[in-house]
Amino acid sequence: MKNIMVLPGDGIGPEIVNESIKILDFVSSRYNLKITYEYGDIGGIAIDKYGIPLKDETLEKCKNSSAVLLGAVGGPKWDSTVPEKPRPEDALLRVRKELGLFANLRPIKIYKPLISSSTLKEEVIDGVDILFLRELTGGIYFGDRKRLSDEKGEYAYDTEKYYKYEIERIAKLGFKIARSRGKKVTSVDKANILESSRLWRETVKKIHEDYEDVQLNHMYVDNTSMQLIRNPKQFDVILTSNMFGDILSDETAMISGSIGLLPSASLREDSLGMYEPIHGSAPDISGQGKANPIAQILSLAMLFRYSLNLASQADMIEKAVNTVLEKGFRTADINTGENKLVSTTEMGDLILNEIKALG
Ligand code: IPM
Ligand code: MG
């Protein structure tokens, strides 16, 4: 029996999670999969209900589950610059850290039917297939930070800290993944300035000795952000730290036309993983039926693939998404005018119907 912990979160989170649950329900009953799921609160909704963004009890349930399916957290309602105030994002970082989900996979592909909705030229993006591998439980996200004062006034600091073992395990995974794809890893750092980046580069080089069939190059983060727009086809696997990965993966997402299309998987050595869209809670469009559920639905596909070891069901979901796009259906974020504009639930139903037709 597999148990999925479902955390819809804030903003558009609940709406798009609903659409993937429809698909989960259908696929599990159609194939007689022994899957149960349970809902929990995370982020702003948990702050409103319990005063904290994540209850220990919810975290425990995540730890004991086979996989976590997450919507999105955060919103202006809970934004604050007061350090002591609970923040929705703290909950997300806590789940990542306490579950030890050190590897964040963000695949970036071009959907042919959507090629014109990218802001980049077709010849630049046609054929792009990048796997973004972001370190997720280290670096500045978890380093020491403080707000203090001295004779010059108030100041604050954050610390970028990486242990060698943290770099080693993500690098190994990067090379392994590259072996199953284009056999090329670009390791991104700022080794011309940061000591943590120098350790990063040195360690990645060392690990590479065991993976010499994979091509490795090193690139500074500033140059990478330029190269991603100039010639994204040069990349296969991009391996980078938590912070650089956060920034560059949003940029890379835009190559595909909309961040509303891109899923992610956060993994560790065993099969437990957390699956969530790359995008945030989009409070500006929440509750209006405008949100694109595709990134969430593709996150469910990744859950089938990596945590449940059900690759054929994952393929099926991905294929259904592609077919619906080929047929010209679009949510507002990817609508270029000449398509059939649909709502969140209509998009979910269209994908579900394609899955029904396939299976
Ligand atoms: C992401 C998000 C999160 C992050 C936020 C919501 C904390 O931007 O998953 O990329 O910064 O990691
Ligand atoms: Mg981000």
Side-chain angles (χ1 to χ4, degrees):
M1 183 62 86
K2 302 284 184 191
N3 183 46
I4 299 174
M5 193 63 195
V6 182
L7 305 174
D10 307 317
I12 59 169
E15 305 163 48
I16 56 177
V17 164
N18 267 344
E19 299 312 307
S20 42
I21 293 298
K22 283 192 213 164
I23 291 169
L24 175 64
D25 285 341
F26 172 76
V27 174
S28 30
S29 81
R30 172 72 183 74
Y31 294 94
N32 251 317
L33 308 171
K34 305 255 172 300
I35 302 175
T36 59
Y37 57 85
E38 197 182 335
Y39 284 92
D41 292 314
I42 191 169
I45 184 173
I47 295 179
D48 289 351
K49 282 193 188 169
Y50 322 109
I52 47 169
L54 184 69
K55 291 207 294 187
D56 290 346
E57 187 192 322
T58 314
L59 181 65
E60 277 314 300
K61 285 182 179 169
C62 292
K63 284 185 182 166
N64 295 323
S65 70
S66 313
V68 181
L69 185 68
L70 182 110
V73 297
K77 183 174 172 198
W78 306 281
D79 277 346
S80 150
T81 55
V82 183
E84 303 77 38
K85 261 196 141 180
R87 303 179 59 88
E89 291 81 2
D90 296 341
L92 190 54
L93 298 199
R94 189 158 170 233
V95 179
R96 290 172 178 172
K97 189 72 174 179
E98 296 222 13
L99 268 59
L101 305 170
F102 66 88
N104 183 226
L105 275 63
R106 303 187 158 188
I108 286 138
K109 266 193 265 181
I110 301 294
Y111 288 90
K112 278 267 181 204
L114 289 182
I115 210 153
S116 60
S117 53
S118 174
T119 51
L120 297 186
K121 290 198 187 97
E122 193 168 327
E123 68 261 29
V124 175
I125 60 169
D126 193 10
V128 166
D129 185 356
I130 298 174
L131 192 275
F132 225 95
L133 183 58
R134 168 186 177 195
E135 199 293 325
L136 203 62
T137 51
I140 203 164
Y141 271 60
F142 296 96
D144 186 29
R145 66 178 111 257
K146 260 199 180 61
R147 204 189 274 220
L148 294 164
S149 300
D150 64 12
E151 65 290 348
K152 284 191 250 173
E154 194 178 8
Y155 69 96
Y157 67 85
D158 300 271
T159 330
E160 173 85 350
K161 172 173 165 182
Y162 266 109
Y163 282 98
K164 201 167 170 179
Y165 80 89
E166 295 176 300
I167 307 168
E168 284 168 349
R169 64 184 178 188
I170 192 85
K172 276 184 199 156
L173 185 65
F175 290 121
K176 279 189 195 140
I177 295 175
R179 265 186 183 156
S180 67
R181 302 174 35 102
K183 296 197 168 46
K184 185 175 172 190
V185 169
T186 303
S187 172
V188 176
D189 61 39
K190 188 71 185 169
N192 49 348
I193 301 292
L194 305 176
E195 199 52 45
S196 52
S197 278
R198 289 193 270 270
L199 180 66
W200 181 279
R201 192 175 279 221
E202 188 184 299
T203 308
V204 171
K205 268 190 194 153
K206 189 82 194 136
I207 296 295
H208 182 231
E209 289 172 8
D210 295 332
Y211 300 88
E212 277 176 349
D213 52 316
V214 176
Q215 191 193 327
L216 168 68
N217 68 320
H218 303 274
M219 204 178 264
Y220 294 138
V221 62
D222 47 351
N223 184 28
T224 310
S225 82
M226 179 184 78
Q227 295 296 339
L228 276 167
I229 301 301
R230 195 185 73 86
N231 176 21
K233 276 183 259 187
Q234 69 185 288
F235 298 105
D236 174 28
V237 173
I238 298 182
L239 168 68
T240 194
S241 64
N242 204 343
M243 173 82 141
F244 295 160
D246 177 48
I247 300 168
L248 292 178
S249 64
D250 268 30
E251 183 188 358
T252 315
M254 279 320 291
I255 296 172
S256 75
S258 170
I259 200 168
L261 297 164
L262 300 173
S264 86
S266 304
L267 307 173
R268 59 186 199 186
E269 267 106 7
D270 66 10
S271 64
L272 177 63
M274 176 158 75
Y275 301 84
E276 54 177 312
I278 294 188
H279 63 71
S281 58
D284 51 322
I285 57 162
S286 93
Q288 300 168 33
K290 284 186 187 163
N292 186 349
I294 292 182
Q296 188 74 52
I297 290 170
L298 293 173
S299 298
L300 177 68
M302 289 186 96
L303 185 155
F304 273 100
R305 191 182 306 284
Y306 294 107
S307 282
L308 306 182
N309 204 11
L310 293 168
S312 57
Q313 277 77 12
D315 288 344
M316 195 178 194
I317 296 171
E318 287 162 1
K319 202 164 168 216
V321 167
N322 211 36
T323 310
V324 169
L325 293 175
E326 265 165 14
K327 289 186 175 172
F329 296 103
R330 304 281 188 271
T331 42
D333 57 320
I334 45 176
N335 185 24
T336 49
E338 62 269 19
N339 317 107
K340 300 160 204 152
L341 181 66
V342 296
S343 68
T344 308
T345 50
E346 284 166 337
M347 183 55 101
D349 289 338
L350 285 160
I351 297 169
L352 181 62
N353 287 336
E354 287 304 329
I355 294 172
K356 286 182 179 166
L358 284 168

